[in-house]
Every structure is written in C-alpha cells, then in structure tokens.
Amino acid sequence: MIKSGIFSMLLMGVIAGSCTQPSVGVNYEVISPYAEKVDSVLKLMTLEEKIGQMNQYTSDLQATGPSRKDSTKLEQIRKGRVGSMLNVKGASNTRRFQEAAMESRLRIPLLFGLDVIHGMRTVYPIPLAEAASFNLKLMERTAAAAAKETASEGIHWTFAPMVDVTRDARWGRVMEGAGEDTWYGSRVAEARVRGFQGKSLADTATVLACAKHFAAYGACIGGRDYNTVDISRLTLHEVYLPPFRAAAEAGVATFMNAFNEVEGVPSTGNTHLVREVLKGDWSFNGFVVSDWNSVGEMVNHGLVPDLKGAAYKGVTAGCDMDMESRAYTSHLEELVKEGTVDEAYIDDAVRRILLKKFELGLFDDPFRYCNEQRQQKTVLSLELRQVAREAGAESIVLLKNDNGVLPLKEPEHIAVVGALTDSKEDMMGSWAIEGVREEAITVLQGIKNRYPNSVIAYADGYDLETNQLDLAGAKRVAAMSDIVIVGVGERAYQSGEARSMAHIDVPDSQQQLVKHLKEMGKKVIVLVMGGRPLIFNELEPYADAILMTWWLGTEAGNSIADVLSGDYNPSGKLPMTFPAAIGQVPIYYNYKNTGRPSQPGFMTYTCGYLDQDFRPAYPFGYGLSYTQFEISDPIPSQKEYKKGETVECRVAVKNTGKCAGKETVQLYIRDLVSSVTRPVKELRGFEQVTLKPGEEKEVVFQLHEKELGFYNGNLEYVVEPGEFELMVGNSSDHLKKTVILYN
Ligand code: BGC
C-alpha cells in the first residue's frame, strides 16, 4: 500500500532495509525541501524521544476538557517527552515552556495549539453566524485576522476550522461549523484554511489550521454530543467527508479525530477513515491529532480492554499525536519493544510532526512567535475590531420586516428590553477562548453609540437565569417610545461543546413578553440571539421585524446597530434550516423525495406528520434585505450538453427597491433520474451582487462536470447522463427552474 514517490522514498530510506514496512504506512508523496532535515533529526532520536513528539498535554493555565493536574509537565518537556502543548497563551507563557524544551537533549521545539474558533482576544461572530454572510472572502479575512492575533501570542496552531456538517439543531456544536450544506461547507472550509494558513506557514502572522472532527461527528444520534453515529458509507462519503477533503486539498496542515464511532469503530482507531481514506486516497501529508482523550476513550467505547490496546489502535490507525490521554507515553515504547507495533508507524507520525515544525521555522528560531511587542501591538487592535464589526453586520439575517419598519432612521425615543441585550458575557458566544467580557459591546451599548441624540430607555424584561418576567418594568420603558427593540433567545453557554439541548425554543416567557409589548400598540423589533437555529413561532405574529443576530463577538452591539440603522443593509442568509417544531429535527433542505413525497399541510399517507406541517419555519438560504430584488428565470447557454462540457447558466438580478443592497443568488441542481436517488435540490453555486436601486446585473454560473456527480452504490464518483433541473433564486424555497439534458 505504500505509494512510491521521491519524498516517501527519502523518508523511508533510512529504515527501508532494516525493518518491515507497516502494511499501510507512509504514503504521502510530497517533495518537501525539509525532507532530509526531518530525517536527519529523526535519526538522532531515541524511541522515547520519538514518542515524546507524539504526546500533547494541556497546560494547567486553562483546560478545554477534563484535565489532570500534573506538576511534572515542565520536567517532562525537559526530558523530550512532550511534542506539543495546548492551552498555553501569551508570548511570555509560551516562551517559558519553549525554554524548557530548549533544555531537552535534542532541543526540538514545542508546538503550541489552541482552540481559536472565532477569534482570540478579538472575538468574531461564531462560525455558524459568519457562514450566514455567504461571504467567503470575509471568512478568509476573519480567519487571517484571528491567525495574526493568535500567532502574536506565541501560538502556532489553531484547532479550527470545524467542518462537520450538521443537520440537527439540538447538537450544541452547530455553532462551530458552517451549517447543514456539504457543498457550501466545503467552500467555507477552504476559505478558513486559506485565512488561517495564509501563503506561507513560515509567516509569523499565520498559524497551522486543523480540520476537525474527522469524521461525521455532526451526525450524533439525537443531537447528543459525543453520541454514536450510525450512517451508511454512502452518506459518509456523500454528506460528511467532502468538507474534510476540501480542507485537505486546500492544504490544511493537520486533522483532528472525532470522538464518535463510524461503522462501529471510534474515529481515532478507525484505520479505514484515517489511513486508507485520509492518508491514503487523499494523500494527506500533515499530521493527525486525537481529540481530547479520544485515544483513551476507546476503552469506554468497548473497542479495546485497556490503555495499551488504545495506544495500539490509535497509532496503527494513523492518529499521530495523543491529546491528553497519555496512552502513547505509557505504552508505545513497550508495544514497539515487544514487536506488536512496527517502529515505522512511529517514524511516520514523528516525520509528519517534525515537518510542520520545520515549515513554521521553529528549528531556525523556536522563539520567533514569542514576541511581547508584537503581541501588544496586535491584540485587540482597532484594525481587528473593525474586521469583527463588519463581519458581525454581514452575519445578521433579516427574517421579517413588515411594512418596512426597519431600518430605524433617527427615532426620538427607543425602548430596549431584554436582559440579553445588556449581557456582555453572552455577546461573545461559546468558545471565546480569550475574549474578555468587559471588552464586548452589548446591544444596548451599540444602540446608544449609534443614536446619541435619541432618548434610550432600558429594562431587563426577564431574569437571565430564571427567565421570570418583569412585565411591569418592560411596559414602563415601552410606554415611553413607539419603537421597542426586544432581545430574546438562549444564553451563550447553551451552545458549544457538550451543550446539546432537547428544547430549542425561545423561552415561553420571552415570547409572551413580545406579545404583551405588541398589544401596547408598539412597533416591536425582535432580535433573536443564539448559537443555533431556535424556535419562536409564538412571538412571530407579534413582531414587526425579526433579526437573527446569533453571537457576534466583541463588536456585537455595534454590528447590530449598523443593521438596525440601515448603515449596513442586511444580506445574511440562513446556513441552517430553522425548524417550526422540535419534532421535525433533523431537518434540512436537501432531503430526498420518497415514494410518497411530503405535502404541505397535515396529510396522511405521505411523508409528513399528522400534527405538524413538514415545512420549516425558515428554510436554508433564506434572508431578506431592506430593498427588494427580482431574479429572472435561469437561461442555460444550451438545452443539451455533451458529457465533459461545462454547463453555463445566466440569470439577471435587479434591485427593484429603494436602497442599495446585496443579494446572494443561489444555484441548485437536481439530477432527475439516477442509479442512486438524489436530493430534491442541492446547492452548487452562489454569487453575491451589490446593486443600487434600479440597477440590474447578470450573473453567470458555470457548472463543471464533476459538480453534477455523486457516489454510486459502489462508492464510485460518477456523472450519469440524463436530465437535470437548474434552479435559481434567493432562498432554497424560492426558486425558478429550467431543465437541461446532459449526455
Ligand atoms: C473538543 C475539540 C477541541 C479540544 C481541545 C475537545 O473537547 O472536542 O474540538 O479542539 O477539546 O480543546
């Protein structure tokens, strides 16, 4: 199974004659200028030192999982038994640990990793929110900005992007990804990898990225975090793997195993997934880190009886670095010495890790990222805050705007109600790794900043912890103004890792609050805040306008005020379907037809519910603007195409409203008849067009042959001839279509 290639020969050269090759071992074919250097270091290493490179500890400064206090970590670094640390932050702290590494026999530098999921000290919108911007350049920009700040704190590696496709809003980790669509998630994955890694890893403003969690973590049964995944291999390849592949092809430096099992084998010990698919078929030449203790957790899964068995499974399956389980440091040496594990596996892992350390320039100067002055200059700079503000505004989705109640020009009085609107801590969202709550701009503050001449009255309206209403207080401030802005939703800590929820409704009391305020005859503008799709049917009829404002980070309040005021005309589109009832979950736009297709209403003998329409509250791709757009029928350049030809489809977009705005024109396809059934629609392209009132532009979509294909029953990627529907519009439920023949 070992592919021949100059690099692999170079790498394996030293041991080729002397030891048996592992059956699926080093199989990457990159010609790296560092290959010989990596080998020369490897030659000097003892087995214990090699295993040390495969070991990662958390610092005791912060933990992002269940950690054991261990006062010997610095000592172990000095002995060369640690290759990487996570959760060490700040140029001076990283320097301290690196100095210990420089006291080790071979002076191999440490690699510092951290979960920079949506920013470091400057916090950007949560990734799901940013995905709503449908602006890939913007996502690349925030990733690059986050990388710059991260690297200035001595950190070389972020555990992001999370590229797990997710169709279940109960799962708390939906906030970390790009939502439900595989194709779009793949484009976002590429953009984020480009942003984090820049053009060169040697640049001290970039960091290594990490595609996680490999694989299918988002398919956890019942939306319960860490839960079993049970999907077909077809679904695995069709729905869950493509964003990982896209990240690999974009050059992502590392991968992280997932906690869950796939086909009965935990991902961390899954040879098919990691060695065969990732390192084999995809020729991935970076390294794979386990998730927190996921090597050790294979014992709990019941795959192996003990930690020694876990170490065996992990290393042979292709997990190169053990995060926090200590399985490798405790058992790999013994496993090699007794002949159970071929040392070539160890060498392969260490080569991959050393290669990244060379690419970062750490062998030239292990302290090149630990620069206090650079840190001071970079952290929370105005420039970064500005990026956060823009990203925040572009992430907001306008769900309703009756009678053009928004934007708010210069109102004399504004009432702001809802404890969430004044909660600094919540603005940041989950995984705000270094965000300082005092530095966040709340909604209330943002509104005050934007409307210095208005009289602004505020009331909590409900208790943040208990959700108990203070209706009297809310009504008192509402009475002073015609316009009431009400913030509702979930708390920031309710989404993120281990934050699955069986109920995803906006609390009933908050929904009632909206109703009461509307009954006072006010114009009620509702801001829905949260890290996932929420359900708020009860309040919907009483809201004049609804904005999904997610968690937007440090500049949240300013971004929201930018949209409320029309300084930024909202352009966000939902990257995940918002269900109308929890019983509809999992719900997604690209479902398949059945023999008894779903029908609107409450139909028996069709694929639906007796007590609930099958349709969502808001579909994927939905989002309004303060202006209106007209999108023409799609016009293909030909009615018939020959196999191999690129399909071209034109569509005219016109701004028919009164202000300038940006529309996201979406292209979906459907393969009408195929050997394996296909979804009723699949996103295959989108374009953002900014138009002045009355202005019209043409958008040209190009579909290459491979975008018309799918995995067949033998897991071969095929394009089958026949009819395809092409659909265009500004939301997955609002499309105009045409049919082409592709032969
Ligand atoms: C999470 C990962 C994270 C790691 C390190 C784990 O619990 O699943 O996403 O990168 O901890 O903090």
Side-chain angles (χ1 to χ4, degrees), residues 64 86 115 159 173 212-213 256 259 291-292 323 497:
T64 42
L86 76 150
D115 292 282
F159 303 129
R173 301 199 80 166
K212 73 185 189 185
H213 307 82
M256 184 185 287
F259 285 122
D291 203 343
W292 187 293
M323 182 194 289
E497 185 178 351

Side-chain angles (χ1 to χ4, degrees), residues 691-721:
L691 297 171
K692 296 192 199 84
E695 199 186 355
E696 182 172 329
K697 273 188 194 160
E698 190 180 59
V699 172
V700 183
F701 289 106
Q702 292 203 322
L703 278 170
H704 302 291
E705 185 187 5
K706 72 175 192 321
E707 278 152 328
L708 300 172
F710 59 87
Y711 287 95
N712 69 11
N714 300 323
L715 282 185
E716 295 149 350
Y717 194 80
V718 292
V719 179
E720 291 182 350

Side-chain angles (χ1 to χ4, degrees), residues 325-371:
S325 89
R326 293 148 203 249
Y328 286 3
T329 44
S330 314
H331 297 289
L332 274 189
E333 192 168 351
E334 185 189 343
L335 282 163
V336 171
K337 288 195 170 148
E338 70 189 26
T340 316
V341 167
D342 193 320
E343 193 168 341
Y345 280 114
I346 313 282
D347 289 345
D348 175 27
V350 176
R351 281 190 176 100
R352 289 168 182 269
I353 294 164
L354 293 180
L355 184 61
K356 293 302 153 205
K357 293 186 176 182
F358 270 107
E359 286 173 4
L360 287 163
L362 293 176
F363 279 97
D364 295 334
D365 175 5
F367 300 104
R368 61 197 301 264
Y369 291 79
C370 322
N371 179 330

